[in-house]
Each structure stands twice: as C-alpha cells, then as structure tokens.
Amino acid sequence: MRLEVRLFGGLSERAGGQRRLDVELPDDATVADLRDHLAAEYPAMAPLLPRVNVAVDLEVAPADRSLAGASQIAVLPPVAGGSDEDAPRVITGLAAPPFDVDAVLARITAPDVGGAVSFLGTVRDHAPDLDGIVRLDYSAYPEMAEKILANIAGELLAEHRGVRGLALLHATGELSVGDHTILIAACSAHRDVAFAACRDGLERVKDRVPIWKREVTADGTHRWVGLTPPPAGDDRGP
C-alpha cells in the first residue's frame, strides 16, 4: 500500500527538507514497520525515531497499530520541553447534541494548559431576514465531513504550534431552538494561541465542511441556506 506520511518539526530537516513522504509498505504494515522503513530510508532521522509519536488519523498510535485504511499519518517529534506522552489531544467528528462541554474540555486539556477557549453554537429563533424559526435541519456528507474535520485539525496543530488540545464537533439532524450546533475548543499554555486556533477552526469548519442547513419556520415553510434565489434582475450564474 502507498501512504503519505507528514513530518513535523526537526524531522523534516532530517529528511532533506521534505514535509510529506510517499511511502510504500506491505498491506499488513504496522506503525512499527513504518518506523523501521523510515530509519532505513532516512538514516539521519533514525536516532530520533525511538522518541517520536506516530499519529494515525489524528490519534497517537501504538507500535502494533495497522496502517491499512489510514487516511492521515504523521510523525511527531516530542513537544519542546515535553515527553512522548505529550502529543496534542484531538477530538473531531459529527456528534449528536447536546454537547457536554465540560467533558470535551476535560478530554483535550493537560497539566501544562493555562487557557481553554470554546465556541458553542446554538439554534436561534431568527435569521437576519427571517423571523419565527423553530428548527434547523442539518444534513451532511458524513465520510467527507469527518475527513475534512480531521484535516482542519491537522492544519491547526501545524499552524498554531502551542495548541495542546483541540475539539471540532458539528451536529446533524433536526435541531430545535436552543440546541447545540457546533463546538470548537482549543487549549494551550497561553491564551493567545487558544483564541487564535479556536477562531481559525470555527471559520474553516463553516467554510469547508460539507454540511447543509435548512431553516424551518412556525408555519412550516422552509429554505436551504445558501440556495436562496438571487434578486430579480441578477443573471449571474451559481
């Protein structure tokens, strides 16, 4: 099987400046096999490999974890000043509301975290141009949505280096006024990093994840957000 492996920190320097590697491994290869392959192909990296984490689909994986079917693989050096157990904690996916914010924050925090920032979206009873909303219907392309959420998490960890934990969760289904729609959370040693990662995460999820929203009013009428017909006389294409 052919895999794309991402390298972070000083590991890319040991691989000749490459941040992404195309790796060919047997179909039954494990994380341990990947380490052996990298040590053989990139001798300059070999001394570091016993101390790195290998993340498979954004979860730190044990040596015997199969790589079959993995969509994201990354090799992570120890966080500066930390140990191998200090890899960022990440939660992504589609989830049913209500979100247990305290439980999510507990899962992504760590002893070195000094600040946690969260954004919790809820269904409101109006839109800027529409009153009397009683429900939002969210539908998604689940497989693609899950993958893009994981991709966004990887981007945020790479760009906001101080992030120690991250959660990107979005609800689907029929949601009444007051129900939770989205939870974005980030934690770090210092608040500025957490604020920036949380805001960036929210905007990227809203812009890129294939989730669609239908607004339903008390009289039963509805409309899909983003599919409102253009004003009369506007002949622009979609």
Side-chain angles (χ1 to χ4, degrees), residues 13-191:
E13 297 176 3
R14 301 294 182 101
Q18 300 181 82
R19 294 183 180 276
R20 298 174 186 265
L21 305 176
D22 288 325
V23 174
E24 189 80 30
L25 292 174
D27 290 343
D28 60 351
T30 64
V31 167
D33 295 324
L34 174 62
R35 289 178 188 269
D36 291 343
H37 174 88
L38 294 176
E41 293 293 320
Y42 303 94
M45 196 189 303
L48 301 180
L49 290 174
R51 300 176 51 237
V52 305
N53 285 315
V54 176
V56 179
D57 295 335
L58 298 176
E59 295 282 349
V60 174
D64 60 356
R65 165 71 149 86
S66 172
L67 298 178
S71 60
Q72 283 198 61
I73 300 172
V75 184
L76 311 172
V79 176
S83 63
D84 289 352
E85 289 76 27
D86 285 339
R89 303 180 183 188
V90 177
I91 306 170
T92 65
L94 303 177
F99 301 135
D100 188 335
V101 179
D102 288 341
V104 170
L105 291 176
R107 288 179 59 189
I108 65 172
T109 195
D112 59 350
V113 165
V117 176
S118 63
F119 174 86
L120 182 64
T122 58
V123 178
R124 61 187 179 187
D125 63 2
H126 67 281
D129 61 342
L130 183 65
D131 292 326
I133 292 175
V134 295
R135 191 180 82 232
L136 297 181
D137 297 342
Y138 281 96
S139 60
Y141 180 176
E143 297 84 358
M144 187 175 179
E146 296 274 4
K147 181 177 180 180
I148 293 178
L149 285 167
N151 289 343
I152 291 172
E155 295 168 7
L156 295 172
L157 292 177
E159 296 170 18
H160 300 277
R161 296 288 182 167
V163 169
R164 301 295 297 118
L166 188 64
L168 308 175
L169 299 174
H170 204 295
T172 58
E174 297 183 358
L175 307 180
S176 300
V177 172
D179 285 346
H180 299 161
T181 60
I182 187 171
L183 173 60
I184 309 293
C187 59
S188 62
H190 304 287
R191 63 182 182 274

